[in-house]
Amino acid sequence: MADKNTKAISPEMFTFVNLNERLTDVKFDDKPIGYFKDAWIRFRKNKSSVVAAVIIALIFLFSLTAPLFTKNEATFMDTYYAKKGPYIYGLDVDGFMDGGVNRDFSEVGLISKIAIGIGAEDWDDHDATLEEGMASDYQPMLEISEGYTVIDAAKKEKTYYHGKIDAYAEVGFLYKSIEQSELQKMRDWEEETGLHLLYPLVEDNQYNIDPSDANNWYKTKKYQPLYTNEKGKLKNLEYTEGMVLEDNYKRDADGNVIYYEYTGGGTLETAAYKVRVLYANYYIYKNGFSPVYLFGTDSQGYDLMLRLAGGLRLSLLLAVSVSVINFMIGAMYGAIEGFYGGLPDLLMERVSDILQGVPFIIVATLFQIHLAAKLGAIPCLVFAYVLNGWIGIAYRVRTQFYRFKRQEFVLAAKTLGARDSRLIWKHIFPNSLGTIVTSTALIIPGVIFNESMLSYLGIVKLGSATTTSLGTLLADASAIWTNYPHLMILPALFISLLEISFNLFGNGLRDAFNPSLRNVED
Amino acid sequence: MLKYVIKRLVLMFFTFLIIVAMTFILVRILPREMPVDKVQAASIAARWEALGYNKPVLEQFWIYIRNIVTQWDFGTSWYIAPRKSAVEVLTSRFLPTLMVNFYSMIISVPIGIAFGVYAAIRKNKWDDNLISTLVMVFISVPSYVYAFLVQYFLYFKLGILPLTMYSLADAGGSYFTWKMFTSMIPAIIALSFGSIAGYTRFVRAELTESLTSEYMLLARTKGLTRAQATARHALKNAMVPVLPSILSEFIGLLSGSMIIEQIFSIPGVGQLYIRSLNLFDYDVFMMDCVFYTFVGLLAGIVLDLSYGFIDPRIRMGEK
């Protein structure tokens, strides 16, 4: 059978490569690439998923580290500074996070706001001018445009001004009732810091129509500011360049202004004094830091950044714990179904069919009504998610088990005497891990959305002094957000970002684990 | 096929019965609120006693089922619409829910399919990438965010549409007036964003798959142009899974979107759920739960069965 051609090659033409050394396989220089490493390489190539992962990481970091960016406590609230806009202290960029709100002012309204700034400079009754007042740090008016005339319902011409007001400075002055010892402390504090806390009290007379309003320190008649003309008569004041407000301070017999007044209480300890304070500085005196909220405050006066961070923490915690629990239940249930098949499979399928038919919203509602008082709202929410959330995963695991259980490597292991549990967890399960991890990751956006929906609708009540959720923040804002848009924009922005990122991240995982499924959506 | 349909329906019936039983027991054992008004409270208590609300729960369930079978009586509303039957309360809410969702569907199905087809034809070009990115964003952003955006721009900024839906009295006593329609537009728009994105994604995925299949190659070899082959072969096959999902979504329309109904104060089924819960009107709440369960199960079955009807090659229930 030998070929003709081979005869032409004589044995001498062959030489031995090696006779002395033992040849072995050369070790690979590269590390072996396993299933997960392969997936990781593919995932890395998918830029949008990597960006999504980074955003998720950043949001997670923010939710944990937000308390470091502010001096406020999460449970601290100040009702006077409720609903204020975002504010960065010391950042003088026009119109960006300066706590400013655009509004239209009547002439009287405008003067009353400007007066806060003038009054803040007039701490020693030196008759502060408009210029001083406008330059004051405590001046609420940031911008005032030219006035325009409007004819009102009574057919009177009225001048209105469009302006921007610093919602923080707008709080202005407040009356406080303090003890005598506190008064001395305040004086010492003023010395120490150079900030002004105590301001002259205002006389309760016909020029002061609302004695509880500490901002009304100048002479008014039914809120209309007044001035004395050359003939010594009081006339209505108009908003002009040289406008001078006449103070209406309480004075003693010598004509000096009074800073505090005894209001009641017998002994030295119980004696109460009424003082008029500039609230911004009183806040610093009380808390040791300025009233500055990076993200503004919510409807009750909590720091919105801390509330948001709390809500994000809750959402992420909920999402992760729900997906981990669903993962475990689904994996076990699906593994048993798929591995044993037959009657157990049929029965278990019926059970999951029934559970799947229960609408989530009804489960969540009933769990809340029945168990929230005993177990707390959050565990109930987790139960509701878990009740039928694992079915999707169980279904996928079952399919994977059907695919793999008849394959040769499983048969080989079985022949070698492996027990069922070993076959399930060591041989088959790892093959289906990629699919399951992906579907677990894709549970997360749904959990976050449903939580926000349930707490928005008020079915789940998560709002309290210590906890809040993104949906609760939105529900709080829902009635007032048109006036205070930041209350709506910030939570909505964070939820949207989270949803987009988790969806992209999940899709990236799916493409990485199952390249054949790329672009197939289900 | 018929055997399979019957099997599915029987199974659905039992599933439905079990879920209703569980829900019924959980709702009935809730502590009931009595009105503050003593006369009213006494009359309600007397009626409840007569209707057997104080009997053991399982006996109550038997009464409940018996009343449904014999009189189509799902209970009575005590607070939302006193002494009206729960069925009546629910059915009076169908129309607004159905209309808003139906309008939204009429808009989003064609637009979604058009975008999906376009993206699939231009696969991996810049316009496909743009559409796919936007789809990702629009699918992820929650529906209530659209609702707020729509309210903000169309009502506060432009002032062309009302903030919430008009009540029947404001719009001339009918849901079919032009005024009523304009007041529904914000809700329709808010609902449509997500649906359009969903349909686009679905159609694109299915069509890209069928565009690369072998019968397309055959069609081209026969001499059909690309447009002909796409329209006659690829699109037809891509629609096989899309149509059933549209159909089942159509059934799902009935249950509406709770959050959208709440934001735009649409007097629909979803709002009824929240209101009956807040007012402790448990018979109506139970009715709503039964309805939601039924719609959910029905939509699932229609989805499965319609595959077989739309494409006879798919034999349902065969291994």
Side-chain angles (χ1 to χ4, degrees):
Chain A
M1 289 292 284
D3 202 299
K4 272 186 269 174
N5 295 336
T6 44
K7 280 182 187 164
I9 305 169
S10 59
E12 291 84 52
M13 289 173 80
F14 290 97
T15 53
F16 288 102
V17 175
N18 173 29
L19 280 176
N20 308 322
E21 274 179 74
R22 288 183 64 204
L23 286 181
T24 52
D25 280 341
V26 182
K27 207 179 172 192
F28 285 120
D29 285 340
D30 291 338
K31 277 184 183 161
I33 295 180
Y35 180 53
F36 284 96
K37 173 108 188 199
D38 197 30
W40 167 237
I41 291 171
R42 274 197 293 266
F43 183 79
R44 249 183 349 198
K45 277 190 192 145
N46 192 342
K47 283 196 199 77
S48 61
S49 308
V50 175
V51 171
V54 170
I55 293 176
I56 293 170
L58 286 178
I59 291 178
F60 180 64
L61 264 182
F62 165 76
S63 76
L64 290 181
T65 57
L68 302 178
F69 298 121
T70 171
K71 287 174 177 157
N72 299 312
E73 296 274 324
T75 51
F76 173 81
M77 62 182 275
D78 188 302
T79 44
Y80 294 107
Y81 285 111
K83 301 173 208 150
K84 301 299 180 201
Y87 194 105
I88 299 183
Y89 190 70
L91 183 85
D92 273 337
V93 180
D94 218 26
F96 181 72
M97 292 178 86
D98 53 3
V101 185
N102 286 310
R103 239 188 261 165
D104 288 296
F105 298 90
S106 66
E107 193 168 10
V108 172
L110 183 70
I111 294 174
S112 74
K113 299 301 174 196
I114 293 174
I116 294 171
I118 304 176
E121 291 305 305
D122 201 26
W123 51 277
D124 57 352
D125 187 28
H126 72 277
D127 292 335
T129 61
L130 180 64
E131 244 170 62
E132 270 181 273
M134 291 309 285
S136 167
D137 287 342
Y138 304 103
Q139 174 57 251
M141 294 308 300
L142 299 168
E143 284 163 25
I144 306 167
S145 68
E146 286 289 303
Y148 57 93
T149 352
V150 171
I151 297 166
D152 69 357
K155 300 214 166 149
K156 269 187 185 170
E157 277 195 7
K158 279 203 168 170
T159 314
Y160 276 87
Y161 297 87
H162 190 74
K164 194 169 177 189
I165 186 163
D166 180 343
Y168 286 81
E170 198 191 347
V171 175
F173 301 96
L174 285 174
Y175 288 117
K176 285 274 160 193
S177 181
I178 56 168
E179 289 166 13
Q180 196 175 24
S181 57
E182 181 120 27
L183 193 67
Q184 195 49 47
K185 259 199 266 170
M186 282 180 165
R187 284 275 180 234
D188 292 344
W189 186 82
E190 278 187 327
E191 281 289 297
E192 206 180 298
T193 56
L195 296 170
H196 298 292
L197 195 57
L198 294 170
Y199 282 79
L201 291 174
V202 180
E203 190 74 61
D204 294 336
N205 53 15
Q206 73 271 30
Y207 303 125
N208 183 5
I209 196 164
D210 181 7
S212 65
D213 180 11
N215 287 331
N216 190 7
W217 58 271
Y218 47 94
K219 280 185 186 158
T220 55
K221 189 178 167 193
K222 286 185 184 163
Y223 302 109
Q224 169 66 51
L226 304 168
Y227 76 103
T228 319
N229 66 1
E230 307 87 56
K231 290 171 189 160
K233 279 194 175 169
L234 285 168
K235 288 278 171 196
N236 287 356
L237 183 73
E238 283 176 3
Y239 172 64
T240 52
E241 292 280 308
M243 175 181 87
V244 177
L245 290 169
E246 280 181 35
D247 68 59
N248 187 25
Y249 292 145
K250 211 167 243 183
R251 291 167 200 278
D252 59 13
D254 304 330
N256 294 324
V257 289
I258 298 172
Y259 289 94
Y260 56 91
E261 191 181 44
Y262 173 75
T263 52
T267 60
L268 200 63
E269 283 81 36
T270 58
Y273 290 85
K274 180 185 175 188
V275 289
R276 180 166 160 262
V277 294
L278 184 63
Y279 196 66
N281 284 343
Y282 184 76
Y283 188 97
I284 303 176
Y285 163 75
K286 272 282 173 199
N287 303 307
F289 48 87
S290 311
V292 164
Y293 299 89
L294 199 57
F295 284 9
T297 53
D298 74 356
S299 61
Q300 289 154 294
Y302 289 109
D303 187 338
L304 189 61
M305 180 163 73
L306 294 173
R307 296 296 264 181
L308 256 179
L312 285 169
R313 270 202 300 275
L314 180 75
S315 282
L316 290 170
L317 183 78
L318 206 63
V320 170
S321 51
V322 166
S323 35
V324 167
I325 296 172
N326 279 346
F327 173 84
M328 291 196 290
I329 299 179
M332 252 182 276
Y333 199 90
I336 294 169
E337 270 184 320
F339 188 78
Y340 292 107
L343 188 66
D345 181 30
L346 198 74
L347 291 177
M348 288 168 90
E349 271 294 271
R350 286 290 84 75
V351 172
S352 60
D353 267 358
I354 291 171
L355 281 178
Q356 190 145 44
V358 188
F360 168 73
I361 188 114
I362 295 176
V363 180
T365 314
L366 289 175
F367 273 22
Q368 284 301 317
I369 309 177
H370 278 286
L371 296 172
K374 282 178 211 149
L375 297 174
I378 299 169
C380 285
L381 201 54
V382 174
F383 284 147
Y385 280 118
V386 168
L387 186 76
N388 53 16
W390 52 267
I391 292 172
I393 294 174
Y395 177 73
R396 286 201 170 79
V397 177
R398 176 172 169 267
T399 319
Q400 294 291 322
F401 266 71
Y402 269 115
R403 221 175 103 196
F404 287 110
K405 73 175 178 186
R406 297 266 174 264
Q407 294 209 347
E408 284 76 8
F409 66 92
V410 181
L411 279 176
K414 211 172 184 174
T415 324
L416 286 171
R419 273 176 289 122
D420 282 356
S421 64
R422 190 177 167 82
L423 289 178
I424 292 175
W425 300 120
K426 276 272 176 192
H427 294 281
I428 309 178
F429 187 69
N431 283 299
S432 55
L433 205 56
T435 333
I436 311 168
V437 167
T438 308
S439 43
T440 309
L442 284 171
I443 288 180
I444 293 178
V447 172
I448 294 173
F449 170 72
N450 280 325
E451 179 276 313
S452 66
M453 184 189 74
L454 288 173
S455 45
Y456 182 88
L457 292 174
I459 293 174
V460 179
K461 293 175 182 71
L462 291 169
S464 74
T466 47
T467 56
T468 186
S469 80
L470 295 172
T472 313
L473 287 175
L474 287 172
D476 270 355
S478 62
I480 51 171
W481 67 278
T482 47
N483 291 328
Y484 311 98
H486 72 282
L487 289 179
M488 182 60 76
I489 292 170
L490 287 167
L493 187 75
F494 271 96
I495 293 186
S496 304
L497 260 183
L498 264 187
E499 292 279 308
I500 295 171
S501 310
F502 270 115
N503 272 328
L504 280 175
F505 179 73
N507 283 356
L509 274 187
R510 189 196 50 211
D511 294 347
F513 278 117
N514 304 310
S516 60
L517 280 181
R518 190 177 302 246
N519 292 327
V520 178
E521 318 282 348
D522 58 340
Chain B
M1 189 70 200
L2 187 71
K3 208 176 144 198
Y4 178 70
V5 173
I6 292 171
K7 192 181 141 199
R8 283 300 303 263
L9 285 176
V10 169
L11 273 178
M12 173 194 155
F13 177 73
F14 280 112
T15 311
F16 180 64
L17 208 62
I18 292 171
I19 296 171
V20 167
M22 289 194 299
T23 319
F24 181 84
I25 292 168
L26 284 173
V27 171
R28 270 295 157 89
I29 59 175
L30 286 174
R32 283 184 172 257
E33 295 279 316
M34 279 293 178
V36 190
D37 180 34
K38 272 188 187 162
V39 180
Q40 205 188 350
S43 94
I44 286 183
R47 289 181 79 95
W48 281 353
E49 178 67 45
L51 288 169
Y53 282 29
N54 301 330
K55 290 187 173 141
V57 180
L58 285 178
E59 210 179 325
Q60 285 186 45
F61 183 61
W62 168 242
I63 296 172
Y64 184 69
I65 295 293
R66 200 183 57 201
N67 284 346
I68 292 172
V69 174
T70 56
Q71 302 159 28
W72 197 242
D73 173 15
F74 282 84
T76 315
S77 164
W78 302 105
Y79 301 112
I80 289 180
R83 295 193 194 162
K84 265 193 173 177
S85 78
V87 181
E88 218 175 299
V89 175
L90 183 74
T91 44
S92 69
R93 302 243 171 183
F94 278 161
L95 202 56
T97 299
L98 207 57
M99 282 176 79
V100 170
N101 286 284
F102 187 64
Y103 287 140
S104 149
M105 201 167 158
I106 290 180
I107 297 171
S108 44
V109 168
I111 299 181
I113 292 179
F115 274 131
V117 170
Y118 183 73
I121 293 170
R122 306 274 302 166
K123 195 187 170 195
N124 292 339
K125 305 255 171 48
W126 69 268
D127 23 13
D128 171 41
N129 289 337
L130 180 73
I131 290 177
S132 298
T133 314
L134 286 180
V135 159
M136 197 64 223
V137 171
F138 279 111
I139 252 179
S140 306
V141 173
S143 55
Y144 50 79
V145 175
Y146 300 127
F148 298 134
L149 288 176
V150 166
Q151 283 189 333
Y152 186 73
F153 286 108
L154 295 185
Y155 175 73
F156 287 101
K157 282 284 154 176
L158 301 173
I160 49 176
L161 289 172
L163 185 62
T164 55
M165 191 169 140
Y166 289 132
S167 65
L168 258 185
D170 284 347
S174 163
Y175 285 114
F176 294 99
T177 57
W178 177 249
K179 200 176 169 195
M180 190 55 117
F181 177 70
T182 50
S183 75
M184 283 178 184
I185 292 178
I188 297 169
I189 296 175
L191 276 172
S192 298
F193 279 113
S195 313
I196 292 176
Y199 285 121
T200 307
R201 184 166 83 163
F202 198 9
V203 171
R204 182 191 175 277
E206 293 301 331
L207 193 57
T208 42
E209 210 189 318
S210 46
L211 277 176
T212 50
S213 53
E214 277 161 8
Y215 58 77
M216 277 298 284
L217 199 64
L218 177 70
R220 292 302 302 278
T221 358
K222 278 197 312 191
L224 295 184
T225 62
R226 191 160 179 246
Q228 276 177 319
T230 308
R232 292 189 197 161
H233 295 275
L235 205 56
K236 243 183 185 172
N237 278 292
M239 283 300 142
V240 169
V242 175
L243 285 181
S245 85
I246 292 176
L247 209 63
S248 90
E249 202 138 311
F250 188 76
I251 308 241
L253 288 188
L254 283 169
S255 46
S257 161
M258 246 175 234
I259 200 152
I260 292 289
E261 290 190 2
Q262 187 79 355
I263 291 173
F264 292 104
S265 50
I266 299 166
V269 182
Q271 203 197 38
L272 183 70
Y273 184 87
I274 307 290
R275 281 199 60 194
S276 61
L277 192 62
N278 290 341
L279 292 173
F280 304 103
D281 205 338
Y282 288 135
D283 280 12
V284 176
F285 179 68
M286 185 65 212
M287 177 80 242
D288 228 8
C289 287
V290 169
F291 178 69
Y292 270 123
T293 312
F294 181 72
V295 167
L297 289 172
L298 193 67
I301 280 201
V302 166
L303 179 70
D304 282 357
L305 294 184
S306 55
Y307 269 108
F309 285 112
I310 288 168
D311 187 354
R313 287 174 304 174
I314 301 173
R315 293 262 168 267
M316 298 311 301
E318 283 175 14
K319 295 276 170 189

